[in-house]
Amino acid sequence: MAADQGFRVADNRRKNVLLAGSGMVSQPLVDYLSSSKDTDITIASNDLNEARRLAYQFPNTQVAGLDILDTLSLEKLVKDNDVVVSLIPAHLHTHIAKAAIKHQKHMVTASYLSPEMQTLDQQAKDASVTIINEIGLDPGIDHCSAMKIIDQAHARGDKIKSFISWCGGLTAPENSDNQIGYKFSWSPRGVLTAGLNAARYKINGKLCDIPEGKLFAHRFANVPLYPGFAFEGLANRDSLQYADIYGLQLDQMDTMFRGTLRYHGYSEILDCLLKLGFLNLDTKSHVDVASSREYMLKTLGLRKDATRDTVAKKIAKRLAIPQTDPLLSRLMLALEEFGMLGSSAVHALAAPTALDAMAKVLQQALKFKANERDLVCMSHEFGVESADGRSYDVHSSSLTVYGDASTGETAMARTVGIPAAIATRLLLEGRVKTRGTIRPTIPEIYNPLIERLELKGIIFNESSKSGIQNSLQRRMAWA
């Protein structure tokens, strides 16, 4: 009987997976894949010591050097494996994707589907290759949860009138003990650059645009998901594009919004850092100094012998606020927490831009300590009008995951690494038939992925209420 008549042919040969990258979210992915005795994993990294520390924890796992710009060595690594998982910086994915297409190997990445990756769609289809993008947390399992409810509504003939999605990788409340209420479970650079993006969304029939560099200033001061959490929010990139991605009719919707959660006070401090020049991405702002304190003084245009009082006065002048403003006190305390005012300052700081220098400072200053944990919180809300137009229901899907303080495994690593691992397993099993550069917005991916996530304790809670008055669309102050 032919395999394409609905029967799966057993494949008893060993499976080979290449993981490019050995950073923060890699461990849960390797853990998941190595639990299958038929799978061999090669961790390719430009940090062999980091890769070895990871590989030694798991069976059937080896390491290899990775030079992403060495085409010949990269192609050899790709050619010898069945699926490639790329967890390296997003702008480098296309190097791996081109090698995967050339050697007809499937690929998985947790990053946004970039225009550069999208141009490879037809080449991937011609080579019968699947490249699953956006299969982490956000983007990733947010798509899976959303599309499950959207497809169910469409199957009933209902209309999606509103979609509001919030997601945040956060510090557990009991560990949010600094002025921004945040510690880093993933790339500090990614966190900082995300705050510089432009954003577009639609709320209550009004189209809204936030220009680049103005996101923090346009924060949503209160996101009332749960009474026990003091959430604020930031718009997340171009929400409008997801109407098309999710098969929604934007002209028939009054609200289309995707946002990022933070604790109260985060955006106010980050906006100050931006205005003061610490988040400058111009290469003219490059840093090569003896300490993070010197970096601060250079950025503020102060002499090396400047006193704390001089720093405060300079900041107040730059921000055009009085020296009695409570914000100045908070900001000075934040700089102290970052190690930029005292003797605990990071030494020998070099970076191509001021933002990269700030990322290094924050990575050192705002690390999770032993027995601390992070938190992932996600919430989708759908306004659904019945097919006959007589009823309006608010459907919700939410996810809350805490890191494990006893093992040090973060919620962020779990909710990025495990979905990427499951997608990899689905490709190895031949369960994904769609080819090209795709997202996990199709049932053949999101249905088994949600089922397997539940087996790992990553569970979405769904509920529904009648009436638009119960929605975030009505309860939030969007102005």
Side-chain angles (χ1 to χ4, degrees):
M1 187 79 60
D4 61 2
Q5 289 182 271
F7 293 87
R8 297 184 66 244
V9 178
D11 182 358
N12 295 318
R13 70 180 182 85
R14 295 196 65 77
K15 312 295 194 303
N16 295 287
V17 175
L18 174 66
L19 168 60
S22 56
M24 292 180 176
V25 303
S26 300
Q27 182 166 330
L29 181 140
V30 178
D31 186 18
Y32 187 95
L33 292 175
S34 66
S35 65
S36 298
K37 296 181 180 179
D38 68 343
T39 303
D40 293 321
I41 304 163
T42 299
I43 303 171
S45 175
N46 63 355
D47 186 339
L48 285 176
N49 288 331
E50 181 181 66
R52 290 188 185 103
R53 286 194 296 271
L54 178 59
Y56 288 162
Q57 301 176 55
F58 303 103
N60 305 319
T61 304
Q62 61 181 353
V63 303
L66 177 64
D67 180 352
I68 201 70
L69 300 180
D70 185 341
T71 303
L72 290 178
S73 65
L74 176 62
E75 288 191 359
K76 185 178 188 310
L77 283 170
V78 169
K79 183 177 65 174
D80 293 339
N81 289 274
D82 300 301
V83 177
V84 184
V85 183
S86 181
L87 295 181
I88 61 176
H91 68 280
L92 299 174
H93 289 324
T94 52
H95 294 278
I96 294 178
K98 289 174 182 177
I101 292 169
K102 179 177 179 178
H103 295 285
Q104 295 185 291
K105 308 296 182 180
H106 300 312
M107 179 177 166
V108 170
T109 172
S111 300
Y112 281 102
L113 177 53
S114 67
E116 293 76 18
M117 287 288 281
Q118 188 65 62
T119 62
L120 301 176
D121 179 60
Q122 190 58 52
Q123 294 178 45
K125 289 175 179 175
D126 293 343
S128 194
V129 166
T130 299
I131 302 178
I132 304 178
N133 304 266
E134 303 190 13
I135 188 60
L137 169 65
D138 176 5
I141 55 178
D142 58 339
H143 296 330
C144 299
S145 171
M147 285 307 304
K148 176 186 173 185
I149 291 177
I150 290 169
D151 284 347
Q152 288 172 346
H154 286 166
R156 297 189 300 267
D158 295 344
K159 295 179 181 178
I160 305 293
K161 303 294 287 184
S162 170
F163 175 71
I164 298 172
S165 177
W166 289 103
C167 184
L170 303 151
T171 305
E174 69 273 19
N175 302 133
S176 57
D177 54 355
N178 59 63
Q179 291 302 302
I180 64 172
Y182 198 87
K183 293 179 182 177
F184 291 93
S185 59
W186 64 298
S187 166
R189 191 182 195 279
V191 174
L192 297 180
T193 55
L196 305 181
N197 292 329
R200 301 186 71 215
Y201 55 92
K202 185 178 184 181
I203 294 290
N204 295 321
K206 180 182 177 181
L207 291 172
C208 302
D209 285 275
I210 299 176
E212 291 182 2
K214 299 298 182 180
L215 208 55
F216 297 126
H218 288 80
R219 63 189 175 276
F220 300 97
N222 182 37
V223 183
L225 294 182
Y226 307 108
F229 286 95
F231 287 142
E232 66 179 39
L234 299 167
N236 186 2
R237 304 194 185 212
D238 182 4
S239 298
L240 304 184
Q241 66 174 319
Y242 284 89
D244 183 55
I245 291 168
Y246 289 170
L248 302 174
Q249 300 299 315
L250 185 61
D251 60 347
Q252 297 179 15
M253 300 175 68
D254 50 42
T255 296
M256 184 74 198
F257 179 87
R258 297 175 76 247
T260 300
L261 294 171
R262 293 290 182 260
Y263 291 133
H264 284 178
Y266 173 91
S267 300
E268 194 173 42
I269 296 295
L270 269 291
D271 194 39
C272 289
L273 295 178
L274 174 62
K275 291 175 179 176
L276 292 170
F278 291 103
L279 305 187
N280 193 338
L281 276 172
D282 192 324
T283 54
K284 293 180 181 178
S285 69
H286 69 276
V287 175
D288 188 2
V289 294
S291 70
S292 55
R293 183 178 187 277
E294 189 176 329
Y295 155 59
M296 176 197 66
L297 295 173
K298 178 183 179 226
T299 303
L300 294 175
L302 292 172
R303 292 162 52 97
K304 292 182 181 180
D305 59 354
T307 65
R308 182 188 179 99
D309 187 55
T310 302
V311 171
K313 289 179 179 178
K314 182 72 170 184
I315 289 174
K317 184 177 181 180
R318 282 267 194 100
L319 297 178
I321 59 175
Q323 293 184 49
T324 56
D325 194 318
L327 175 58
L328 181 60
S329 297
R330 284 194 60 222
L331 184 56
M332 292 299 291
L333 184 53
L335 294 176
E336 186 172 339
E337 291 170 342
F338 301 164
M340 300 173 78
L341 287 177
S343 58
S344 61
V346 174
H347 294 284
L349 183 62
T353 70
L355 183 143
D356 289 286
M358 195 71 211
K360 289 185 177 183
V361 169
L362 295 182
Q363 186 164 28
Q364 177 66 29
L366 302 186
K367 294 185 294 187
F368 282 89
K369 301 171 187 173
N371 298 316
E372 292 187 339
R373 59 181 183 161
D374 70 330
L375 163 70
V376 161
C377 187
M378 181 184 293
S379 173
H380 295 320
E381 182 184 278
F382 307 82
V384 182
E385 184 181 85
S386 62
D388 59 12
R390 294 182 179 179
S391 66
Y392 189 103
D393 293 328
V394 177
H395 294 266
S396 299
S397 177
S398 62
L399 171 73
T400 304
V401 179
Y402 283 91
D404 188 334
S406 63
T407 65
E409 184 175 82
T410 67
M412 179 62 71
R414 280 177 53 77
T415 53
V416 174
I418 293 177
I422 293 173
T424 302
R425 178 56 57 187
L426 293 175
L427 288 170
L428 290 172
E429 294 171 358
R431 293 178 182 269
V432 181
K433 306 301 183 185
T434 305
R435 299 296 181 243
T437 55
I438 64 174
R439 298 177 177 92
T441 53
I442 52 179
E444 68 176 355
I445 298 178
Y446 70 69
N447 278 328
L449 195 138
I450 289 173
E451 291 174 2
R452 298 188 192 192
L453 283 174
E454 290 180 351
L455 296 176
K456 300 298 290 184
I458 301 174
I459 301 170
F460 286 92
N461 296 306
E462 298 181 4
S463 63
S464 63
K465 295 176 286 188
S466 295
I468 194 172
Q469 69 275 7
N470 293 310
S471 67
L472 274 176
Q473 183 182 350
R474 290 290 184 264
R475 291 189 292 118
M476 267 193 65
W478 293 100

